[in-house]
Structures are given as structure tokens and as C-alpha cells.
């Protein structure tokens, strides 16, 4: 790595992704800056989750470059990518908790996988992460099936920050939540960002969430990053589909 403190935490350049005949990305480029909440938006099937999976190294693009923390991550194997992956916390779109593990075990899982800390210490750390996620320690022994939707998301968030990541990547964190719980989750995300000095990449469909939380956003459409800017400026985009999507930001 040439620079330990790059200004851009993520750099996506000319990314092409094909699944057989299907072209999802055809030259996608954007940057995520240190310390911002960066939203990825676009229609269903526009490739939001796919680009996220490239960034967290769970699937390779067909061509192009992706740098995370200044390091090229395309072409890295599972072992080589581990040191970068450990610095990224991830919450997946259908990011279910392990239903056969209780809350504390779910949160402690990344610590069990990636560290040699002893079990009691891992439990202590997991409790701290639960508290950071605004959950009471009483939920620790509960099974996922006993939790509300909002609590499940918080547990998933607690698990995503288990390894003290620098970058947090969230795929539709508020999906399936009622508006009040979704708003509370947004607040928590901003709180965690401030408290832990995180950079956040967040896929969302929720305009409210976008306006409350995102510093900048990229709109994926026509197989490229059609526009990338603040929500307010995107509301004035030359591309009708972008301007329409961000119209509420005009007010
Ligand atoms: N592993 C895969 N194999 C084949 N096609 C795939 C694969 N992953 C994604 N796709 C296709 O790529 C396209 C983009 O999918 P992706 O899940 O990234 O979209 P998205 O923007 O996240 O959509 P949504 O808003 O519905 O979550 C879709 O047409 C999807 O079917
Ligand atoms: Mg998706």
C-alpha cells in the first residue's frame, strides 16, 4: 500500500460486470471519501448489491478496478483479501442472523472467526457492541426469532461493527421496517459513524433515509454511475430519472 491514509476509502473505476449475456455494469466509476455516508441508489436490478459485493470482495467484476483503503482488491484471492475484508463491516440485504445462535453468539461470530481472543472476552466485546447499537444487554441470550424487525437490524449492525471496521457497508438497512423504526435506525447509523469515525456505504430505496443520512449519493442507471453528488444537486440532474428520484431533496 502506497498510502496508509487515502482520502478516498473506495475507488471504483470503469467496472464492467457481466453474468453470461447479461450486462449489469458497463463502466461504473465513483469514489467514496473518508468519513462520509455515501448512498448507492438506482432501480431494482441496476446492480447496487452487485457493486457492493465487489467492494466487499464477495464477487469479482468482469473488468475494471476497485481500490479499498488504497489497495487494489480485484483479483485478490480469499486469503490475500482477508486483511482488507477484516477492516470492512457488512450488513447484507437479506442479512439474516443465524437462527440457531442467540444474539450474543451472532454478534461475537466475526470475533470468533477472525481473532484468537478467549471466549469470555469475546462475549464482553459483543456486549459492548450491543450497547453501541442501542440494545439492552438483556437481549443477549434471546434467539433471533424472539426479536422484532428493528431489533434484528440492530443486532446485525452490532455484528457488522464487531471487528471495529473502518468502513461499514449496509445493503438496504431499513428494508422491512416501519417508518419510525427506520428513522431510529438511521439515527443509530449516524451516531455510530460519529462515534467510531466510520465511513459508510449504504444502499437504500428510502428517500427519507437518504435525505437524513447521506452526504453524497451515486445513481446507478443505464449500466453506469449516471450521476454522483449531494442529494440536493442530484435533484437538479440533467438526467430525468435522477432528478425525479431526488426531487424531494429540492425542498
Ligand atoms: N450471481 C449472479 N448471477 C446471475 N445474475 C446475477 C447475479 N447477481 C446478480 N445478478 C443479476 O444482476 C442484476 C443486478 O442485480 P443486483 O442484485 O445487483 O441489483 P440491485 O440493484 O441490488 O436490485 P434490488 O434493488 O432489487 O436489490 C440483476 O438482473 C440480477 O438478476
Ligand atoms: Mg440489491
Amino acid at each position: 500500500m502506497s498510502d496508509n491514509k487515502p482520502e478516498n476509502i473506495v475507488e471504483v473505476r470503469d467496472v464492467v460486470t457481466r453474468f453470461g449475456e447479461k450486462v449489469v455494469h458497463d463502466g461504473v466509476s465513483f469514489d467514496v471519501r473518508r468519513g462520509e455516508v455515501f448512498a448507492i441508489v438506482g432501480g431494482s436490478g441496476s446492480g447496487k448489491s452487485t457493486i457492493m459485493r465487489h467492494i466487499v470482495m464477495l464477487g469479482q467484476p468482469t473488468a475494471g478496478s476497485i481500490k479499498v483503503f488504497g489497495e487494489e482488491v480485484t483479483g485478490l484471492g480469499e486469503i490475500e483479501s482477508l486483511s482488507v475484508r477484516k477492516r470492512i463491516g457488512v450488513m447484507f440485504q437479506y442479512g439474516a442472523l443465524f437462527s440457531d445462535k442467540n444474539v450474543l453468539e451472532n454478534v461475537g461470530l466475526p470475533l470468533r472467526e477472525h481473532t484468537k481472543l478467549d471466549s469470555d472476552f469475546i462475549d464482553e466485546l459483543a456486549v459492548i457492541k450491543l450497547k453501541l447499537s442501542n440494545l439492552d444487554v438483556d437481549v443477549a441470550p434471546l434467539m433471533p426469532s424472539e426479536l422484532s424487525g428493528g431489533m434484528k437490524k440492530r443486532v446485525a449492525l452490532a455484528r457488522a461493527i464487531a471487528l471495529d471496521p473502518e468502513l461499514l457497508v449496509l445493503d438496504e438497512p431499513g428494508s422491512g421496517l416501519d417508518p419510525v423504526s427506520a428513522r431510529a435506525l438511521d439515527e443509530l447509523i449516524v451516531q455510530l459513524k460519529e462515534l467510531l469515525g466510520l465511513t459508510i456505504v449504504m444502499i437504500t430505496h428510502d428517500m427519507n433515509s437518504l435525505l437524513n443520512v447521506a452526504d453524497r449519493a451515486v445513481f446507478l442507471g443505464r449500466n453506469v454511475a449516471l450521476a454522483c453528488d449531494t442529494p440536493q444537486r442530484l435533484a437538479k440532474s440533467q438526467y430525468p430519472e435522477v432528478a425525479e428520484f431526488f426531487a424531494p431533496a429540492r425542498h
Side-chain angles (χ1 to χ4, degrees):
M1 208 188 303
S2 59
D3 186 356
N4 287 327
K5 282 268 177 191
E7 200 47 40
N8 291 332
I9 295 295
V10 179
E11 288 182 8
V12 175
R13 283 292 171 281
D14 306 319
V15 162
V16 175
T17 311
R18 287 188 220 107
F19 294 109
E21 295 282 284
K22 185 175 175 62
V23 178
V24 179
H25 302 126
D26 192 17
V28 169
S29 302
F30 60 84
D31 296 332
V32 179
R33 300 173 188 155
R34 177 182 297 280
E36 72 179 350
V37 177
F38 185 88
I40 300 176
V41 305
S44 204
S46 59
K48 302 182 296 296
S49 295
T50 302
I51 202 80
M52 165 189 155
R53 290 173 63 82
H54 293 338
I55 292 169
V56 304
M57 287 160 274
L58 285 171
Q60 298 277 344
T62 312
S65 153
I66 296 180
K67 287 185 180 166
V68 182
F69 310 124
E71 193 170 339
E72 181 65 47
V73 298
T74 58
L76 288 186
E78 190 153 338
I79 305 286
E80 299 162 296
S81 67
L82 193 62
S83 64
V84 180
R85 279 192 286 131
K86 274 163 52 173
R87 296 166 69 189
I88 309 176
V90 186
M91 195 170 142
F92 293 100
Q93 185 166 10
Y94 306 106
L97 301 168
F98 291 94
S99 57
D100 59 340
K101 295 191 189 320
N102 72 23
V103 165
L104 198 69
E105 290 163 340
N106 264 287
V107 176
L109 207 66
L111 291 156
R112 291 209 158 76
E113 265 176 21
H114 292 296
T115 73
K116 295 192 169 67
L117 300 171
D118 75 60
S119 194
D120 287 349
F121 189 46
I122 286 177
D123 286 348
E124 279 175 41
L125 289 173
V127 167
I128 292 171
K129 304 302 173 184
L130 282 179
K131 288 182 180 164
L132 277 170
S133 301
N134 288 348
L135 283 163
D136 198 279
V137 65
D138 294 351
V139 304
L142 298 183
M143 300 306 282
S145 59
E146 299 175 274
L147 306 176
S148 72
M151 286 164 87
K152 278 184 197 156
K153 300 281 183 178
R154 279 162 199 272
V155 174
L157 207 49
R159 187 174 63 188
I161 59 169
L163 287 167
D164 297 326
E166 294 154 68
L167 171 64
L168 192 57
V169 180
L170 312 170
D171 194 349
E172 308 260 2
S175 70
L177 295 185
D178 63 79
V180 174
S181 308
R183 186 64 53 87
L185 192 71
D186 284 344
E187 273 170 27
L188 174 63
I189 289 167
V190 174
Q191 240 176 45
L192 287 177
K193 183 200 106 137
E194 300 292 334
L195 198 65
L196 306 176
L198 295 166
T199 303
I200 296 179
V201 174
M202 184 173 92
I203 297 176
T204 183
H205 270 126
D206 180 351
M207 195 60 207
N208 260 329
S209 171
L210 222 138
L211 292 178
N212 289 333
V213 175
D215 297 302
R216 295 192 310 133
V218 64
F219 185 99
L220 297 185
R222 310 183 195 189
N223 304 115
V224 296
L226 209 50
C228 181
D229 212 328
T230 62
Q232 288 71 27
R233 281 202 283 266
L234 289 170
K236 298 176 196 149
S237 170
Q238 58 174 313
Y239 298 104
E241 62 266 55
V242 179
E244 193 179 323
F245 185 91
F246 285 92
R250 276 187 217 134
H251 310 295

